Amino acid sequence: MKILANKTNLYNNTEFLQKTAKKINYLEGVGFNIAITKDNQFVVFSPISNNEATVQTINNKNLKELTHLDLLTLNDILIFYQERKTTNKIFLNLLPSAITITSEESLEALKNNNENYIKYLLKTLEPYKDLNLYLGSINTTLVKLLTEQNIPWKKGIVLFGGNLNYMDVDFYVFGTEILSAEIFSQQLRLNKEVIVYVGDANDLSITYEFFKGETSTALANSIFNDIMFLNDYPDLFFKIFQR
């Protein structure tokens, strides 16, 4: 069983880092949502009530103006894991800038923002080449820009919701609405890595039925241990699936 513990709680920064730095037999690594500030700093975004509005606030404020959100910076977490010489996987979900396309000018602004995002991301990551980073996004433009870079980390795309854009990358993150043993098996045979995102109780139930339940197929069951599960409730997931 391979679990990536997703950082979702806004207030457990120290506890989360200390726990995930320890050796836990089922813990393959961790996951963080990353957003960029107005002054090109990257912060860990823990989902709250209005995600889009909060990302937009982060995009439009300098880091020093965001102290009320009790944010971890990307440097905070990378320094923490590097000092402990962790070999665990660290998945960074790159949240794109919240810009609405209404004109050619806004389209050009979005293009510039995406290029700026990758430029400053790689500058931030430069000191951490020894970390086992997985860089992915639902934004195909960000992923394409990443694939054009000669970097030592894995590059991937997040495929859930309305995003079914396939790209040739190192790994794929699937939502539970796109569970397919045939697709997963095909990607694994191509030496791609497959991650399934389990975000809530409904996702947990769907995932269990697909891989272990009465409706599970032999193929789904056989590839279970080859897939990683990005999980908002890693301890509960482990208890349920170890039965």
Side-chain angles (χ1 to χ4, degrees):
M1 193 182 310
K2 300 177 181 179
I3 297 175
L4 301 174
N6 201 31
K7 174 73 168 67
T8 57
N9 189 325
L10 185 62
Y11 303 107
N12 70 338
N13 294 340
T14 301
E15 178 188 351
F16 182 88
L17 292 178
Q18 290 178 345
K19 181 174 180 179
T20 55
K22 298 175 183 176
K23 277 288 182 185
I24 302 175
N25 60 345
Y26 62 81
L27 192 65
E28 190 78 5
V30 292
F32 297 95
N33 298 301
I34 304 299
I36 191 170
T37 65
K38 185 179 179 180
D39 55 345
N40 300 311
Q41 304 297 309
F42 288 89
V43 296
V44 175
F45 169 73
S46 297
I48 52 177
S49 57
N50 192 331
N51 294 347
E52 186 174 345
T54 305
V55 171
Q56 194 165 29
T57 297
I58 292 171
N59 294 161
N60 293 322
K61 298 286 187 180
N62 292 329
L63 181 60
K64 290 182 178 179
E65 300 175 272
L66 294 169
T67 53
H68 64 289
L69 291 177
D70 190 28
L71 294 168
L72 278 171
T73 68
L74 179 55
N75 270 317
D76 288 335
I77 65 170
L78 297 180
I79 289 172
F80 182 89
Y81 290 118
Q82 181 164 267
E83 286 177 346
R84 285 150 184 80
K85 296 181 171 55
T86 182
T87 58
N88 280 357
K89 297 176 174 66
I90 302 173
F91 169 58
L92 301 180
N93 181 30
L94 311 179
L95 299 177
S97 297
I99 292 182
T100 303
I101 304 301
T102 57
S103 64
E104 288 188 15
E105 288 79 10
S106 59
L107 182 61
E108 183 65 22
L110 179 61
K111 177 177 179 292
N112 292 337
N113 273 18
N114 286 332
E115 291 175 349
N116 182 75
Y117 192 113
I118 295 303
K119 172 186 173 182
Y120 282 98
L121 175 71
L122 298 184
K123 182 178 179 181
T124 302
L125 299 180
E126 176 67 23
Y128 308 104
K129 290 182 178 178
D130 292 336
L131 288 177
N132 192 8
L133 302 182
Y134 281 58
L135 311 178
S137 179
I138 195 170
N139 185 296
T140 54
T141 301
L142 288 180
V143 177
K144 186 175 185 300
L145 288 169
L146 277 176
T147 62
E148 295 170 353
Q149 305 295 320
N150 181 22
I151 54 179
W153 310 293
K154 297 288 182 69
K155 294 157 275 191
I157 190 163
V158 178
L159 298 166
F160 65 81
N163 179 30
L164 297 176
N165 293 295
Y166 180 85
M167 297 176 69
D168 184 18
V169 288
D170 301 313
F171 69 93
Y172 301 89
V173 182
F174 293 91
T176 54
E177 68 273 21
I178 320 175
L179 295 180
S180 168
E182 290 73 21
I183 291 175
F184 295 171
S185 179
Q186 179 187 48
Q187 295 306 315
L188 291 168
R189 288 198 302 272
L190 293 171
N191 293 320
K192 308 295 185 180
E193 294 184 76
V194 173
I195 301 172
V196 172
Y197 173 60
V198 183
D200 56 26
N202 187 53
D203 286 342
L204 186 58
S205 176
I206 292 171
T207 303
Y208 185 85
E209 283 303 313
F210 181 81
F211 286 101
K212 299 292 184 179
E214 293 181 2
T215 59
S216 175
T217 65
L219 179 58
N221 191 267
S222 69
I223 62 176
F224 174 75
N225 287 323
D226 298 319
I227 290 173
M228 290 182 281
F229 296 90
L230 178 63
N231 211 295
D232 289 3
Y233 304 97
D235 296 333
L236 178 60
F237 185 94
F238 177 70
K239 289 178 182 177
I240 290 174
F241 279 83
Q242 73 170 341
R243 297 172 183 169

